[in-house]
Amino acid sequence: MGGKASIFLVLGFSTIILIIGLNMNRVSSSAVDNSSNYYENEIAKEIARSGINLAASNLSRNHSWNPTDKKFNYLGDKNLEISVKESGDIKTVTAIGIFKGVAKTIEVKIKLASFSEYAYFSNVEGDIWWTGTDSVWGPFHTNDNIQVQGHPYFNGPVTSHGGIMKYYTDKATDAPTIQGTYIPGTTINIPTDGITNLSASASKAGHVFTGTSQVFLKFAGDSIKYKFNSGDPYVTVLGSSLAPNGVIYVNNGNLRIEGTVKGNWSVGSNKNVYLDNDVVYSKVPNYKDKNDASPDLLGIVSQNDVIITDNTANRSSINVHAAIYCEDGGFTAENYTSRTLSGTIHLIGGITQNQRKGVGTFTADKTKKIPKSGFPYKDYKYDSRLLKKVPPYFPSTNTFKVLSWLE
Amino acid sequence: MILIINSVNQTASENTSQYNSDLISQQNLVSIVELLEYDFSRIGYCENTDSILSPENMITYADSNKIIFWTDIAVSSSNFRGNGTKEELIYELGPDVNETPNPFDKLLYRYLKGDKKDASNLGITEFKITYFDNLNNKLSHPINTKLISYMQIDLKVEDCYGYDTDNNEKLHSEKFPTVFWKQIRLATKNMSR
Protein backbone atom coordinates (compact mmCIF):
# COMPACT_ATOMS: atom_id res chain seq x y z
CA MET A 1 0.00 0.00 0.00
CA GLY A 2 2.85 2.37 1.02
CA GLY A 3 4.67 1.45 -2.21
CA LYS A 4 1.64 2.30 -4.34
CA ALA A 5 1.26 5.61 -2.52
CA SER A 6 4.91 6.41 -3.18
CA ILE A 7 4.48 5.66 -6.87
CA PHE A 8 1.40 7.92 -7.04
CA LEU A 9 3.31 10.61 -5.14
CA VAL A 10 6.29 10.44 -7.49
CA LEU A 11 4.05 10.38 -10.55
CA GLY A 12 2.00 13.29 -9.18
CA PHE A 13 5.06 15.38 -8.48
CA SER A 14 6.54 14.49 -11.85
CA THR A 15 3.35 15.64 -13.58
CA ILE A 16 3.26 18.91 -11.63
CA ILE A 17 6.94 19.62 -12.32
CA LEU A 18 6.41 18.72 -15.99
CA ILE A 19 3.50 21.15 -16.30
CA ILE A 20 5.49 23.89 -14.59
CA GLY A 21 8.46 23.18 -16.85
CA LEU A 22 6.33 23.31 -19.97
CA ASN A 23 4.84 26.61 -18.85
CA MET A 24 8.29 28.10 -18.21
CA ASN A 25 9.39 26.84 -21.60
CA ARG A 26 6.37 28.45 -23.30
CA VAL A 27 7.06 31.77 -21.60
CA SER A 28 10.72 31.68 -22.64
CA SER A 29 9.79 30.77 -26.22
CA SER A 30 7.26 33.60 -26.40
CA ALA A 31 9.83 36.09 -25.12
CA VAL A 32 12.33 34.97 -27.76
CA ASP A 33 9.57 35.09 -30.41
CA ASN A 34 8.83 38.70 -29.47
CA SER A 35 12.45 39.70 -29.89
CA SER A 36 12.92 37.78 -33.11
CA ASN A 37 9.69 39.13 -34.64
CA TYR A 38 10.79 42.69 -33.89
CA TYR A 39 14.24 41.91 -35.30
CA GLU A 40 12.76 40.38 -38.48
CA ASN A 41 10.50 43.42 -39.00
CA GLU A 42 13.48 45.74 -38.61
CA ILE A 43 15.64 43.75 -41.02
CA ALA A 44 12.83 43.71 -43.60
CA LYS A 45 12.53 47.49 -43.20
CA GLU A 46 16.29 47.94 -43.59
CA ILE A 47 16.25 45.84 -46.78
CA ALA A 48 13.47 48.08 -48.15
CA ARG A 49 15.47 51.20 -47.19
CA SER A 50 18.48 49.76 -48.99
CA GLY A 51 16.23 49.22 -52.00
CA ILE A 52 15.26 52.90 -52.00
CA ASN A 53 18.95 53.88 -51.78
CA LEU A 54 19.78 51.48 -54.60
CA ALA A 55 17.04 52.97 -56.78
CA ALA A 56 18.10 56.53 -55.93
CA SER A 57 21.68 55.73 -56.85
CA ASN A 58 20.63 54.30 -60.22
CA LEU A 59 18.16 57.11 -60.92
CA SER A 60 20.81 59.76 -60.21
CA ARG A 61 22.95 58.22 -62.97
CA ASN A 62 20.10 57.41 -65.33
CA HIS A 63 16.92 59.43 -64.88
CA SER A 64 14.82 56.91 -66.78
CA TRP A 65 16.11 53.88 -64.83
CA ASN A 66 13.39 51.32 -64.22
CA PRO A 67 14.48 47.74 -63.53
CA THR A 68 13.08 45.16 -65.92
CA ASP A 69 13.78 42.40 -63.42
CA LYS A 70 12.23 43.96 -60.34
CA LYS A 71 13.52 41.33 -57.91
CA PHE A 72 16.98 41.64 -56.42
CA ASN A 73 19.04 39.38 -54.17
CA TYR A 74 19.69 41.07 -50.87
CA LEU A 75 20.30 39.13 -47.65
CA GLY A 76 18.64 36.23 -49.36
CA ASP A 77 17.26 35.06 -52.67
CA LYS A 78 15.07 37.65 -54.40
CA ASN A 79 14.41 39.36 -51.08
CA LEU A 80 14.12 42.86 -52.49
CA GLU A 81 11.63 44.16 -55.01
CA ILE A 82 11.96 47.62 -56.57
CA SER A 83 9.57 49.35 -58.92
CA VAL A 84 9.44 52.88 -60.35
CA LYS A 85 6.23 54.49 -61.54
CA GLU A 86 5.85 57.87 -63.20
CA SER A 87 2.99 60.31 -62.91
CA GLY A 88 3.74 63.59 -64.65
CA ASP A 89 7.04 64.87 -63.31
CA ILE A 90 6.80 62.80 -60.11
CA LYS A 91 8.33 59.34 -59.81
CA THR A 92 7.13 56.93 -57.15
CA VAL A 93 9.83 54.49 -56.07
CA THR A 94 8.54 51.46 -54.16
CA ALA A 95 10.82 48.99 -52.41
CA ILE A 96 9.62 45.84 -50.68
CA GLY A 97 12.06 44.12 -48.34
CA ILE A 98 11.39 40.53 -47.32
CA PHE A 99 13.08 38.74 -44.44
CA LYS A 100 12.01 35.36 -43.13
CA GLY A 101 8.52 35.79 -44.51
CA VAL A 102 8.06 39.33 -43.16
CA ALA A 103 7.51 41.94 -45.90
CA LYS A 104 7.93 45.70 -45.40
CA THR A 105 7.16 48.33 -48.01
CA ILE A 106 8.63 51.82 -48.40
CA GLU A 107 7.25 54.25 -50.95
CA VAL A 108 9.09 57.43 -51.86
CA LYS A 109 7.92 60.16 -54.22
CA ILE A 110 10.73 62.04 -55.96
CA LYS A 111 11.00 64.80 -58.52
CA LEU A 112 13.85 66.32 -60.52
CA ALA A 113 14.92 69.50 -58.78
CA SER A 114 15.52 72.80 -60.51
CA PHE A 115 18.01 75.46 -59.46
CA SER A 116 15.09 77.84 -59.26
CA GLU A 117 14.09 76.13 -56.01
CA TYR A 118 17.05 77.57 -54.15
CA ALA A 119 16.82 80.73 -52.17
CA TYR A 120 20.60 80.71 -52.27
CA PHE A 121 23.07 78.44 -54.08
CA SER A 122 26.77 78.91 -54.61
CA ASN A 123 29.64 76.86 -55.85
CA VAL A 124 32.37 78.98 -54.32
CA GLU A 125 31.87 81.27 -51.32
CA GLY A 126 35.26 82.96 -51.56
CA ASP A 127 36.11 85.27 -48.70
CA ILE A 128 32.56 86.40 -47.99
CA TRP A 129 31.07 85.53 -44.60
CA TRP A 130 27.49 85.11 -43.47
CA THR A 131 27.13 87.54 -40.61
CA GLY A 132 24.70 88.20 -37.78
CA THR A 133 22.71 90.60 -39.93
CA ASP A 134 22.23 88.02 -42.69
CA SER A 135 19.26 85.71 -42.97
CA VAL A 136 18.27 83.28 -45.70
CA TRP A 137 14.71 82.07 -46.04
CA GLY A 138 14.29 78.98 -48.18
CA PRO A 139 16.56 76.19 -49.41
CA PHE A 140 20.28 76.94 -49.13
CA HIS A 141 23.22 75.09 -50.63
CA THR A 142 26.87 75.72 -51.15
CA ASN A 143 29.53 73.43 -52.57
CA ASP A 144 31.94 75.27 -50.32
CA ASN A 145 32.16 75.50 -46.54
CA ILE A 146 29.63 77.72 -44.83
CA GLN A 147 31.50 80.65 -43.31
CA VAL A 148 29.67 82.20 -40.38
CA GLN A 149 30.24 85.12 -38.09
CA GLY A 150 27.94 86.35 -35.32
CA HIS A 151 25.04 83.89 -35.59
CA PRO A 152 23.49 84.28 -39.05
CA TYR A 153 20.01 82.86 -39.49
CA PHE A 154 18.94 80.20 -41.99
CA ASN A 155 15.29 79.27 -42.32
CA GLY A 156 14.94 76.27 -44.58
CA PRO A 157 16.90 73.17 -45.43
CA VAL A 158 20.64 73.80 -45.53
CA THR A 159 23.07 71.57 -47.39
CA SER A 160 26.75 72.02 -48.07
CA HIS A 161 29.53 70.07 -49.68
CA GLY A 162 31.99 70.80 -46.92
CA GLY A 163 31.35 69.10 -43.64
CA ILE A 164 32.89 72.13 -42.02
CA MET A 165 31.00 75.05 -40.59
CA LYS A 166 33.74 77.67 -40.65
CA TYR A 167 33.51 79.94 -37.61
CA TYR A 168 34.96 83.44 -37.70
CA THR A 169 35.94 83.24 -34.01
CA ASP A 170 34.48 80.06 -32.50
CA LYS A 171 31.29 78.06 -32.34
CA ALA A 172 29.95 79.85 -29.26
CA THR A 173 30.34 83.26 -30.88
CA ASP A 174 29.36 82.43 -34.45
CA ALA A 175 27.20 79.29 -34.69
CA PRO A 176 24.28 79.89 -37.04
CA THR A 177 20.65 79.28 -36.24
CA ILE A 178 19.24 76.80 -38.72
CA GLN A 179 15.49 76.26 -38.78
CA GLY A 180 15.24 73.20 -40.97
CA THR A 181 17.62 70.40 -41.69
CA TYR A 182 21.37 70.77 -42.07
CA ILE A 183 23.05 68.09 -44.15
CA PRO A 184 26.76 68.54 -44.87
CA GLY A 185 28.57 66.33 -47.36
CA THR A 186 26.16 67.02 -50.21
CA THR A 187 27.49 68.00 -53.61
CA ILE A 188 25.26 69.48 -56.29
CA ASN A 189 27.26 70.50 -59.30
CA ILE A 190 26.30 73.49 -61.40
CA PRO A 191 25.94 71.99 -64.88
CA THR A 192 27.97 73.08 -67.87
CA ASP A 193 25.01 72.90 -70.22
CA GLY A 194 22.40 75.01 -68.46
CA ILE A 195 22.82 77.90 -70.90
CA THR A 196 23.14 75.57 -73.87
CA ASN A 197 19.83 73.92 -73.00
CA LEU A 198 18.14 77.30 -72.59
CA SER A 199 19.49 78.35 -75.98
CA ALA A 200 18.12 75.15 -77.55
CA SER A 201 14.69 75.79 -76.00
CA ALA A 202 14.71 79.37 -77.31
CA SER A 203 15.61 78.08 -80.77
CA LYS A 204 12.70 75.62 -80.74
CA ALA A 205 9.75 77.76 -79.70
CA GLY A 206 11.14 80.89 -78.14
CA HIS A 207 13.22 83.73 -79.53
CA VAL A 208 16.98 84.04 -80.10
CA PHE A 209 18.65 87.40 -80.72
CA THR A 210 21.87 86.99 -82.71
CA GLY A 211 24.41 89.25 -84.37
CA THR A 212 24.25 92.01 -81.79
CA SER A 213 26.50 92.87 -78.89
CA GLN A 214 23.57 93.83 -76.66
CA VAL A 215 19.81 93.71 -76.42
CA PHE A 216 17.71 96.08 -74.32
CA LEU A 217 14.59 94.19 -73.26
CA LYS A 218 11.68 95.77 -71.45
CA PHE A 219 8.75 93.81 -70.06
CA ALA A 220 5.56 95.83 -70.45
CA GLY A 221 2.51 93.77 -69.54
CA ASP A 222 1.55 91.58 -72.49
CA SER A 223 4.18 93.29 -74.60
CA ILE A 224 7.89 92.85 -74.93
CA LYS A 225 9.84 95.89 -76.03
CA TYR A 226 13.36 95.56 -77.40
CA LYS A 227 16.10 97.58 -79.05
CA PHE A 228 19.78 97.15 -79.76
CA ASN A 229 21.17 100.58 -78.85
CA SER A 230 20.29 102.78 -75.91
CA GLY A 231 19.34 105.73 -78.16
CA ASP A 232 17.08 103.67 -80.44
CA PRO A 233 13.30 103.60 -80.11
CA TYR A 234 11.84 100.38 -78.74
CA VAL A 235 10.21 97.80 -81.00
CA THR A 236 7.03 96.58 -79.33
CA VAL A 237 5.71 93.05 -79.91
CA LEU A 238 3.23 90.75 -78.25
CA GLY A 239 5.23 88.57 -75.87
CA SER A 240 3.40 85.35 -76.67
CA SER A 241 4.09 85.89 -80.39
CA LEU A 242 7.77 86.68 -79.92
CA ALA A 243 8.45 83.63 -77.74
CA PRO A 244 5.53 81.19 -77.43
CA ASN A 245 7.39 78.96 -74.94
CA GLY A 246 8.47 81.94 -72.83
CA VAL A 247 12.21 81.73 -73.52
CA ILE A 248 14.21 84.68 -74.87
CA TYR A 249 17.93 84.25 -75.43
CA VAL A 250 20.75 86.50 -76.61
CA ASN A 251 23.54 84.68 -78.39
CA ASN A 252 27.00 86.25 -77.98
CA GLY A 253 25.67 89.52 -76.60
CA ASN A 254 24.73 91.08 -73.29
CA LEU A 255 21.09 91.23 -72.27
CA ARG A 256 19.84 94.33 -70.45
CA ILE A 257 16.42 94.03 -68.83
CA GLU A 258 13.82 96.01 -66.90
CA GLY A 259 10.05 96.36 -66.64
CA THR A 260 6.90 94.72 -65.36
CA VAL A 261 6.66 91.00 -66.02
CA LYS A 262 3.36 89.38 -66.90
CA GLY A 263 3.31 85.60 -67.36
CA ASN A 264 6.07 82.98 -67.23
CA TRP A 265 9.42 83.89 -68.75
CA SER A 266 13.02 82.81 -68.82
CA VAL A 267 15.53 85.22 -70.32
CA GLY A 268 19.22 84.60 -70.73
CA SER A 269 22.50 85.18 -72.44
CA ASN A 270 25.80 83.40 -72.89
CA LYS A 271 27.46 86.67 -71.85
CA ASN A 272 26.11 88.88 -69.02
CA VAL A 273 22.64 89.97 -68.01
CA TYR A 274 22.31 93.55 -66.74
CA LEU A 275 19.45 94.83 -64.59
CA ASP A 276 19.02 98.39 -65.85
CA ASN A 277 16.07 99.15 -63.58
CA ASP A 278 13.42 97.40 -61.49
CA VAL A 279 12.23 94.05 -62.84
CA VAL A 280 8.98 93.26 -61.05
CA TYR A 281 5.90 91.06 -61.36
CA SER A 282 2.62 92.64 -62.45
CA LYS A 283 0.94 90.73 -59.64
CA VAL A 284 3.38 90.61 -56.73
CA PRO A 285 2.96 87.28 -54.89
CA ASN A 286 2.80 86.69 -51.18
CA TYR A 287 6.31 85.30 -51.07
CA LYS A 288 5.49 83.15 -48.03
CA ASP A 289 2.69 81.29 -49.79
CA LYS A 290 3.90 78.53 -52.10
CA ASN A 291 0.37 78.26 -53.49
CA ASP A 292 0.03 81.96 -54.30
CA ALA A 293 -1.97 82.42 -57.49
CA SER A 294 0.20 85.10 -59.10
CA PRO A 295 0.65 84.02 -62.74
CA ASP A 296 3.98 85.82 -63.07
CA LEU A 297 7.35 84.10 -62.87
CA LEU A 298 10.74 85.10 -64.24
CA GLY A 299 14.01 83.22 -64.61
CA ILE A 300 17.16 85.20 -65.36
CA VAL A 301 19.88 82.93 -66.74
CA SER A 302 23.41 84.08 -67.46
CA GLN A 303 26.56 82.33 -68.57
CA ASN A 304 28.61 84.86 -66.63
CA ASP A 305 27.21 87.48 -64.27
CA VAL A 306 23.87 89.03 -63.47
CA ILE A 307 24.80 92.64 -62.83
CA ILE A 308 22.94 95.58 -61.30
CA THR A 309 23.82 98.40 -63.67
CA ASP A 310 25.55 101.46 -62.24
CA ASN A 311 23.07 104.06 -63.50
CA THR A 312 20.75 106.74 -62.15
CA ALA A 313 17.73 104.43 -61.93
CA ASN A 314 19.58 102.07 -59.63
CA ARG A 315 21.02 104.65 -57.22
CA SER A 316 18.07 104.54 -54.82
CA SER A 317 17.50 100.81 -54.33
CA ILE A 318 16.32 98.22 -56.84
CA ASN A 319 13.46 95.72 -56.93
CA VAL A 320 14.08 92.36 -58.57
CA HIS A 321 11.46 89.63 -58.80
CA ALA A 322 13.14 86.58 -60.32
CA ALA A 323 15.02 83.34 -59.92
CA ILE A 324 18.59 84.18 -60.91
CA TYR A 325 21.13 81.70 -62.30
CA CYS A 326 24.79 82.42 -63.08
CA GLU A 327 26.55 79.41 -64.54
CA ASP A 328 30.14 80.65 -64.37
CA GLY A 329 29.83 83.98 -62.58
CA GLY A 330 27.71 85.49 -59.85
CA PHE A 331 25.13 88.08 -58.87
CA THR A 332 26.83 91.40 -58.42
CA ALA A 333 26.55 95.17 -58.77
CA GLU A 334 28.54 97.10 -61.38
CA ASN A 335 31.38 99.09 -59.78
CA TYR A 336 30.22 97.95 -56.34
CA THR A 337 33.49 98.95 -54.70
CA SER A 338 33.40 102.50 -56.07
CA ARG A 339 29.80 103.39 -56.94
CA THR A 340 27.82 105.69 -54.70
CA LEU A 341 25.76 104.20 -51.86
CA SER A 342 22.74 102.82 -53.70
CA GLY A 343 20.33 101.68 -50.99
CA THR A 344 18.80 98.24 -50.75
CA ILE A 345 18.38 95.29 -53.09
CA HIS A 346 14.80 94.10 -52.68
CA LEU A 347 14.70 90.62 -54.16
CA ILE A 348 11.74 88.27 -54.29
CA GLY A 349 13.07 85.03 -55.72
CA GLY A 350 16.35 83.19 -55.39
CA ILE A 351 19.98 83.27 -56.44
CA THR A 352 22.09 80.48 -57.89
CA GLN A 353 25.66 81.44 -58.67
CA ASN A 354 28.94 79.74 -59.35
CA GLN A 355 30.90 82.34 -57.44
CA ARG A 356 29.52 84.46 -54.65
CA LYS A 357 30.19 88.07 -55.53
CA GLY A 358 29.82 91.40 -53.83
CA VAL A 359 27.17 94.06 -54.25
CA GLY A 360 28.50 96.61 -51.81
CA THR A 361 31.29 97.29 -49.37
CA PHE A 362 31.63 98.21 -45.71
CA THR A 363 34.44 99.59 -43.65
CA ALA A 364 37.11 97.05 -42.81
CA ASP A 365 35.66 96.52 -39.35
CA LYS A 366 33.11 93.75 -39.95
CA THR A 367 31.55 94.11 -36.53
CA LYS A 368 30.42 97.71 -37.07
CA LYS A 369 29.36 97.28 -40.71
CA ILE A 370 29.53 100.91 -41.76
CA PRO A 371 28.31 101.16 -45.39
CA LYS A 372 30.90 102.40 -47.82
CA SER A 373 29.73 101.79 -51.38
CA GLY A 374 27.14 100.06 -53.55
CA PHE A 375 24.24 98.20 -51.96
CA PRO A 376 24.99 97.78 -48.27
CA TYR A 377 21.54 96.38 -47.48
CA LYS A 378 19.98 93.22 -48.81
CA ASP A 379 16.31 92.46 -48.49
CA TYR A 380 16.19 89.00 -50.05
CA LYS A 381 12.85 87.26 -49.78
CA TYR A 382 12.45 83.74 -51.04
CA ASP A 383 9.50 83.31 -53.39
CA SER A 384 7.96 80.13 -51.92
CA ARG A 385 6.19 79.43 -55.19
CA LEU A 386 9.59 78.35 -56.50
CA LEU A 387 9.26 75.19 -54.42
CA LYS A 388 6.57 74.13 -56.89
CA LYS A 389 6.84 76.33 -59.96
CA VAL A 390 9.76 76.53 -62.35
CA PRO A 391 10.37 79.28 -64.91
CA PRO A 392 10.36 77.85 -68.44
CA TYR A 393 13.39 75.63 -69.15
CA PHE A 394 15.26 76.94 -66.12
CA PRO A 395 18.42 74.84 -65.58
CA SER A 396 17.92 71.59 -63.69
CA THR A 397 20.16 70.29 -60.91
CA ASN A 398 19.96 66.82 -62.47
CA THR A 399 19.30 65.50 -58.99
CA PHE A 400 16.09 64.21 -57.51
CA LYS A 401 14.51 65.66 -54.43
CA VAL A 402 12.33 63.68 -52.05
CA LEU A 403 8.76 64.91 -51.90
CA SER A 404 7.52 62.32 -49.43
CA TRP A 405 8.80 59.22 -47.68
CA LEU A 406 6.33 56.61 -46.49
CA GLU A 407 7.15 53.54 -44.41
CA MET B 1 5.88 16.41 3.24
CA ILE B 2 3.06 18.92 3.24
CA LEU B 3 5.53 21.71 4.08
CA ILE B 4 7.78 20.67 1.21
CA ILE B 5 4.84 20.58 -1.19
CA ASN B 6 3.71 24.00 0.01
CA SER B 7 7.19 25.43 -0.41
CA VAL B 8 7.53 23.97 -3.92
CA ASN B 9 4.10 25.32 -4.79
CA GLN B 10 4.97 28.82 -3.57
CA THR B 11 8.27 28.91 -5.42
CA ALA B 12 6.68 27.60 -8.59
CA SER B 13 3.84 30.14 -8.39
CA GLU B 14 6.25 33.01 -7.81
CA ASN B 15 8.52 32.01 -10.68
CA THR B 16 5.62 31.46 -13.04
CA SER B 17 4.15 34.80 -12.14
CA GLN B 18 7.51 36.55 -12.56
CA TYR B 19 8.13 34.97 -15.95
CA ASN B 20 4.62 35.83 -17.10
CA SER B 21 5.04 39.42 -15.90
CA ASP B 22 8.32 39.69 -17.77
CA LEU B 23 6.67 38.38 -20.90
CA ILE B 24 3.66 40.70 -20.64
CA SER B 25 5.90 43.73 -20.07
CA GLN B 26 8.05 42.76 -23.03
CA GLN B 27 5.01 42.23 -25.26
CA ASN B 28 3.59 45.59 -24.21
CA LEU B 29 6.90 47.31 -24.93
CA VAL B 30 7.20 45.77 -28.39
CA SER B 31 3.62 46.78 -29.23
CA ILE B 32 4.24 50.38 -28.15
CA VAL B 33 7.61 50.60 -29.89
CA GLU B 34 6.23 49.29 -33.18
CA LEU B 35 3.42 51.84 -33.07
CA LEU B 36 5.82 54.65 -32.10
CA GLU B 37 8.23 53.78 -34.90
CA TYR B 38 5.38 53.56 -37.38
CA ASP B 39 3.88 56.92 -36.41
CA PHE B 40 7.16 58.79 -35.97
CA SER B 41 8.41 57.61 -39.37
CA ARG B 42 5.33 59.31 -40.86
CA ILE B 43 5.89 62.72 -39.30
CA GLY B 44 5.31 65.24 -42.07
CA TYR B 45 4.08 62.67 -44.58
CA CYS B 46 1.01 63.41 -46.70
CA GLU B 47 -0.18 61.40 -49.67
CA ASN B 48 -1.08 64.65 -51.40
CA THR B 49 2.38 66.11 -52.06
CA ASP B 50 0.92 69.59 -52.48
CA SER B 51 -0.16 69.50 -48.83
CA ILE B 52 3.26 68.58 -47.43
CA LEU B 53 4.57 71.22 -45.07
CA SER B 54 8.11 72.46 -44.95
CA PRO B 55 10.18 70.48 -42.41
CA GLU B 56 10.26 73.26 -39.79
CA ASN B 57 6.45 73.25 -39.64
CA MET B 58 5.91 69.49 -39.31
CA ILE B 59 6.03 69.41 -35.51
CA THR B 60 3.67 71.89 -33.85
CA TYR B 61 4.29 71.18 -30.16
CA ALA B 62 7.05 69.42 -28.29
CA ASP B 63 8.00 68.87 -24.70
CA SER B 64 9.53 66.02 -22.74
CA ASN B 65 6.41 63.86 -22.68
CA LYS B 66 4.09 65.31 -25.27
CA ILE B 67 4.45 65.85 -29.00
CA ILE B 68 2.03 67.03 -31.68
CA PHE B 69 2.89 66.62 -35.34
CA TRP B 70 1.28 66.67 -38.78
CA THR B 71 0.85 63.35 -40.52
CA ASP B 72 -1.52 61.52 -42.82
CA ILE B 73 -3.02 58.53 -41.01
CA ALA B 74 -3.17 55.26 -42.94
CA VAL B 75 -6.45 54.60 -44.70
CA SER B 76 -6.72 51.11 -43.19
CA SER B 77 -4.64 48.29 -41.78
CA SER B 78 -4.30 46.88 -45.30
CA ASN B 79 -3.51 50.23 -46.97
CA PHE B 80 -0.63 52.09 -45.38
CA ARG B 81 -1.08 55.17 -47.56
CA GLY B 82 -2.95 58.17 -46.22
CA ASN B 83 -6.07 59.67 -47.75
CA GLY B 84 -4.29 62.88 -48.74
CA THR B 85 -5.64 64.98 -45.87
CA LYS B 86 -3.13 65.79 -43.17
CA GLU B 87 -4.04 65.52 -39.49
CA GLU B 88 -2.40 66.50 -36.22
CA LEU B 89 -1.47 63.44 -34.18
CA ILE B 90 -0.81 63.77 -30.46
CA TYR B 91 1.28 61.55 -28.21
CA GLU B 92 0.91 62.48 -24.57
CA LEU B 93 1.83 60.84 -21.30
CA GLY B 94 -1.04 61.02 -18.84
CA PRO B 95 -1.09 61.06 -15.03
CA ASP B 96 -0.57 58.04 -12.73
CA VAL B 97 -3.27 55.41 -13.11
CA ASN B 98 -3.71 54.86 -9.32
CA GLU B 99 -5.88 51.79 -9.85
CA THR B 100 -3.14 49.18 -9.97
CA PRO B 101 -0.60 47.99 -7.41
CA ASN B 102 2.18 49.65 -9.40
CA PRO B 103 2.35 53.26 -8.14
CA PHE B 104 4.13 54.58 -11.23
CA ASP B 105 2.21 53.30 -14.27
CA LYS B 106 0.69 55.93 -16.53
CA LEU B 107 -1.46 56.04 -19.63
CA LEU B 108 0.13 56.97 -22.95
CA TYR B 109 -2.45 58.75 -25.07
CA ARG B 110 -2.33 58.64 -28.85
CA TYR B 111 -5.11 60.58 -30.49
CA LEU B 112 -5.92 62.95 -33.31
CA LYS B 113 -6.42 66.61 -32.46
CA GLY B 114 -10.12 67.15 -31.91
CA ASP B 115 -10.78 63.49 -31.09
CA LYS B 116 -11.49 62.01 -27.66
CA LYS B 117 -8.45 60.97 -25.60
CA ASP B 118 -8.25 57.22 -25.34
CA ALA B 119 -5.66 54.79 -24.06
CA SER B 120 -5.21 51.38 -22.49
CA ASN B 121 -2.88 50.77 -19.60
CA LEU B 122 0.20 49.02 -20.92
CA GLY B 123 2.31 49.71 -17.84
CA ILE B 124 4.27 52.69 -19.14
CA THR B 125 6.19 54.32 -16.33
CA GLU B 126 8.41 56.54 -18.45
CA PHE B 127 7.93 58.17 -21.85
CA LYS B 128 10.50 60.88 -22.40
CA ILE B 129 11.48 62.65 -25.59
CA THR B 130 14.69 64.65 -25.87
CA TYR B 131 15.12 66.92 -28.86
CA PHE B 132 18.24 67.94 -30.76
CA ASP B 133 18.89 70.54 -33.44
CA ASN B 134 20.81 70.23 -36.70
CA LEU B 135 24.14 70.68 -35.03
CA ASN B 136 23.32 67.96 -32.46
CA ASN B 137 22.79 70.44 -29.64
CA LYS B 138 20.19 69.37 -27.09
CA LEU B 139 17.24 71.74 -27.24
CA SER B 140 16.23 73.21 -23.93
CA HIS B 141 12.77 73.98 -22.62
CA PRO B 142 10.65 75.57 -24.01
CA ILE B 143 11.35 73.63 -27.19
CA ASN B 144 11.42 75.63 -30.42
CA THR B 145 9.77 73.05 -32.70
CA LYS B 146 11.25 74.67 -35.79
CA LEU B 147 14.73 73.66 -34.67
CA ILE B 148 14.00 69.96 -34.09
CA SER B 149 16.07 67.67 -36.22
CA TYR B 150 16.63 64.57 -34.09
CA MET B 151 14.82 62.98 -31.19
CA GLN B 152 15.77 60.57 -28.47
CA ILE B 153 12.90 58.51 -27.14
CA ASP B 154 13.15 56.78 -23.75
CA LEU B 155 10.49 54.29 -22.86
CA LYS B 156 10.10 52.21 -19.72
CA VAL B 157 7.39 49.61 -19.22
CA GLU B 158 6.65 47.82 -15.94
CA ASP B 159 4.17 45.17 -15.01
CA CYS B 160 1.07 46.88 -13.62
CA TYR B 161 0.20 44.20 -11.06
CA GLY B 162 3.53 42.64 -10.16
CA TYR B 163 3.94 39.88 -7.59
CA ASP B 164 4.07 39.94 -3.82
CA THR B 165 3.47 43.68 -3.92
CA ASP B 166 2.70 43.93 -0.22
CA ASN B 167 6.13 42.62 0.73
CA ASN B 168 7.98 45.69 1.99
CA GLU B 169 11.32 43.85 2.02
CA LYS B 170 11.33 43.62 -1.76
CA LEU B 171 12.59 46.40 -3.99
CA HIS B 172 10.17 48.02 -6.45
CA SER B 173 12.06 46.45 -9.35
CA GLU B 174 11.72 43.00 -7.77
CA LYS B 175 7.96 43.36 -7.46
CA PHE B 176 7.38 44.87 -10.89
CA PRO B 177 9.46 43.45 -13.79
CA THR B 178 10.78 46.27 -15.98
CA VAL B 179 11.84 46.62 -19.63
CA PHE B 180 13.52 49.60 -21.29
CA TRP B 181 13.80 50.93 -24.83
CA LYS B 182 15.85 53.86 -26.01
CA GLN B 183 16.44 55.14 -29.49
CA ILE B 184 18.25 58.10 -30.97
CA ARG B 185 16.90 58.59 -34.45
CA LEU B 186 16.33 61.05 -37.18
CA ALA B 187 12.80 62.12 -36.49
CA THR B 188 11.63 61.26 -39.97
CA LYS B 189 12.95 61.15 -43.50
CA ASN B 190 10.35 63.74 -44.43
CA MET B 191 12.04 66.24 -42.13
CA SER B 192 15.33 65.88 -43.97
CA ARG B 193 13.94 66.79 -47.36
Side-chain angles (χ1 to χ4, degrees), chain B residues 28-40:
Chain B
N28 286 349
L29 182 81
V30 170
S31 303
I32 299 161
V33 164
E34 283 179 340
L35 185 62
L36 270 174
E37 288 191 324
Y38 180 77
D39 280 336
F40 278 55

Side-chain angles (χ1 to χ4, degrees), chain A residues 116 198 202 205-209 217-226 237-249 255 257-268 279-282 295-301 321-324 385-386 389-395:
Chain A
S116 61
L198 189 81
H207 189 84
V208 180
F209 289 102
L217 195 80
K218 190 172 185 177
F219 291 95
D222 291 330
S223 303
I224 296 281
K225 297 180 170 192
Y226 67 87
V237 291
L238 184 65
S240 56
S241 301
L242 180 74
N245 71 354
V247 182
I248 298 171
Y249 180 76
L255 174 63
I257 61 171
E258 62 180 293
T260 303
V261 178
K262 194 176 174 190
N264 283 339
W265 295 93
S266 282
V267 296
V279 183
V280 295
Y281 296 138
S282 65
D296 309 325
L297 199 62
L298 174 65
I300 301 172
V301 181
H321 299 171
I324 294 168
R385 295 177 309 147
L386 293 168
K389 284 182 159 185
V390 182
Y393 303 95
F394 202 86

Side-chain angles (χ1 to χ4, degrees), chain B residues 130-143:
Chain B
T130 312
Y131 305 90
F132 301 88
D133 70 7
N134 284 299
L135 303 174
N136 291 320
N137 302 308
K138 185 178 163 184
L139 294 172
S140 53
H141 187 80
I143 307 292

Side-chain angles (χ1 to χ4, degrees), chain B residues 148-174:
Chain B
I148 297 171
S149 186
Y150 301 90
M151 288 185 237
Q152 176 184 310
I153 304 167
D154 292 82
L155 193 64
K156 191 158 110 180
V157 173
E158 296 177 11
D159 181 32
C160 303
Y161 297 94
Y163 184 82
D164 201 11
T165 54
D166 296 330
N167 185 343
N168 294 327
E169 290 177 11
K170 280 191 170 182
L171 296 170
H172 177 84
S173 57
E174 290 172 326

Side-chain angles (χ1 to χ4, degrees), chain B residues 12 102 110 138 143 186:
Chain B
N102 190 326
R110 173 194 181 272
K138 185 178 163 184
I143 307 292
L186 186 68

Side-chain angles (χ1 to χ4, degrees), chain A residues 34 107 180-182 290 405, chain B residues 19 26 52 81 134 190-191:
Chain A
N34 268 338
E107 196 173 83
T181 49
Y182 168 52
K290 65 179 178 184
W405 181 290
Chain B
Y19 283 135
Q26 190 212 38
I52 291 175
R81 292 178 193 86
N134 284 299
N190 290 305
M191 285 182 77

